[in-house]
Amino acid sequence: MPNKKGFTLLEIIVVSLIVGVLVLIAIPNFTNMLNRSYARQALTNLLAIYSAQQSYYMNNNSAYC
């Protein structure tokens, strides 16, 4: 019997199924992580705006220009 190199169709299908399951698990976790990151960034931006408003008010003793 000659020494054959390569993969059988069954091996390729099994590996494809395993990769598919891992992708199905990873994508929702990744999108959830992105959404949490965007929310934290928005909160940080709002706190920076609030701090700038307080600084402006303290420097000018009024809330208006």
Side-chain angles (χ1 to χ4, degrees):
M1 189 154 126
N3 199 4
K4 293 185 179 179
K5 294 181 180 179
F7 299 104
T8 64
L9 182 60
L10 183 61
E11 291 171 330
I12 293 173
I13 291 173
V14 169
V15 170
S16 298
L17 287 174
I18 292 171
V19 170
V21 168
L22 291 175
V23 167
L24 286 174
I25 293 171
I27 288 176
N29 289 335
F30 181 70
T31 56
N32 188 21
M33 181 193 62
L34 281 178
N35 289 337
R36 285 184 294 164
S37 172
Y38 292 147
R40 286 185 191 134
Q41 185 177 11
L43 181 60
T44 301
N45 290 340
L46 287 173
L47 290 173
I49 291 169
Y50 178 72
S51 176
Q53 286 177 331
Q54 283 185 326
S55 176
Y56 178 84
Y57 182 77
M58 295 299 282
N59 290 334
N60 296 306
N61 290 326
S62 71
Y64 303 106
C65 294

